[in-house]
Amino acid sequence: MKLRYFSHSACQISTKNITILIDPFLDGNPTSPVKSEEISADYIILTHAHGDHIGDSEKIAKRCNSTFICVNELANYFASKGFKAHNMHIGGSYNFPFGKVKFTIAHHGSVTPDNYYGGEPAGVLLFIEDKVIYHTGDTGLFYDMKLIGELNKVDYMLLPIGDNFTMGTDDALKALEFVNPKTAIPIHYNTFPVIEADPNQFKEKAELQGNFVKVLEFGEEIEV
Ligand code: NI
Ligand code: MN
């Protein structure tokens, strides 16, 4: 399985047969080296409805006939526009052909760019090919991350470090202590001046406390 990080919260997980996008904000994203027309998706998972997460979802879904996976209110929003959508909600999991998806809490907001309520913002746990990937979505630090870490042996944790809208680096270090993933991948930084952060400094500090961090280049793909 491969994980590609486009920048911001946007990433792609591909297995032999299936491609999944999470929060594909590409065309309007000043840091993404990849544009939406270059990628395709069988499934699009959205953590919440903000424009920097919905991004190019509709364009891609229209072209690829992708299925949205998101919390109920946001899934209904896309279904009402004629898209395929699988409604889920926080705490619930479902077995898709590629593996299991479970939504977790996230402390943030969720409204679509055209002002529809997007339900609760979420994080997402993916159980694919014996690996556990935890994409926290946009969130502040919360103590239940400790429970998420206890209940799931997280292999890859994608977590924001850019501050202002989400955790900054100090709280993200605490989040790593709570979840204790095998590998942490910092996201949601340097897209805009207000969320500037140094991922390498974060990596150094995390490794001093015993957490391994892999900083991905924008556009980089790794085997996971
Ligand atoms: Ni947001
Ligand atoms: Mn965001």
Side-chain angles (χ1 to χ4, degrees), residues 128-182:
I128 307 175
E129 293 180 359
D130 299 327
K131 291 275 161 38
V132 181
I133 299 171
Y134 174 32
H135 186 302
T136 68
D138 281 3
T139 186
L141 177 66
F142 56 91
Y143 197 63
D144 283 7
M145 281 184 175
K146 203 166 157 46
L147 187 60
I148 292 171
E150 277 169 24
L151 296 177
N152 306 280
K153 287 209 160 33
V154 175
D155 294 290
Y156 293 90
M157 179 183 186
L158 288 83
L159 78 170
I161 62 163
D163 220 336
N164 193 75
F165 300 112
T166 66
M167 290 186 278
T169 50
D170 288 350
D171 284 357
L173 288 171
K174 198 71 190 172
L176 291 189
E177 209 180 291
F178 286 162
V179 176
N180 200 25
K182 283 199 187 112

Side-chain angles (χ1 to χ4, degrees), residues 8-9 23 48 50-53 108 137-138 165-166 188 192 195:
H8 206 58
S9 260
D23 292 355
H48 63 293
H50 288 156
D52 59 319
H53 296 258
H108 195 63
D138 281 3
F165 300 112
T166 66
H188 214 274
F192 313 109
I195 57 169

Side-chain angles (χ1 to χ4, degrees), residues 1-15 17-27 29 32 34-48 52-70 74 78 84 86 96 98 101 103 123-126 128 133 135 158 187 219-221:
M1 166 170 59
K2 288 191 169 110
L3 172 71
R4 188 172 188 197
Y5 178 52
F6 298 114
S7 74
H8 206 58
S9 260
C11 65
Q12 171 187 277
I13 292 159
S14 17
T15 66
N17 303 314
I18 279 171
T19 304
I20 304 152
L21 292 175
I22 304 177
D23 292 355
F25 172 52
L26 305 167
D27 295 347
N29 173 351
S32 174
V34 177
K35 295 298 162 209
S36 67
E37 61 188 21
E38 299 169 53
I39 55 169
S40 57
D42 299 295
Y43 295 91
I44 298 174
I45 299 176
L46 297 178
T47 60
H48 63 293
D52 59 319
H53 296 258
I54 287 184
D56 307 296
S57 297
E58 293 191 5
K59 255 187 269 183
I60 297 165
K62 218 168 268 171
R63 177 166 49 81
C64 304
N65 196 28
S66 327
T67 300
F68 283 92
I69 302 173
C70 26
L74 191 53
F78 289 113
K84 290 193 292 183
H86 183 106
F96 291 88
F98 59 84
V101 174
F103 279 100
V124 63
L125 283 160
L126 298 160
I128 307 175
I133 299 171
H135 186 302
L158 288 83
I187 62 171
E220 185 176 353
E221 185 167 63

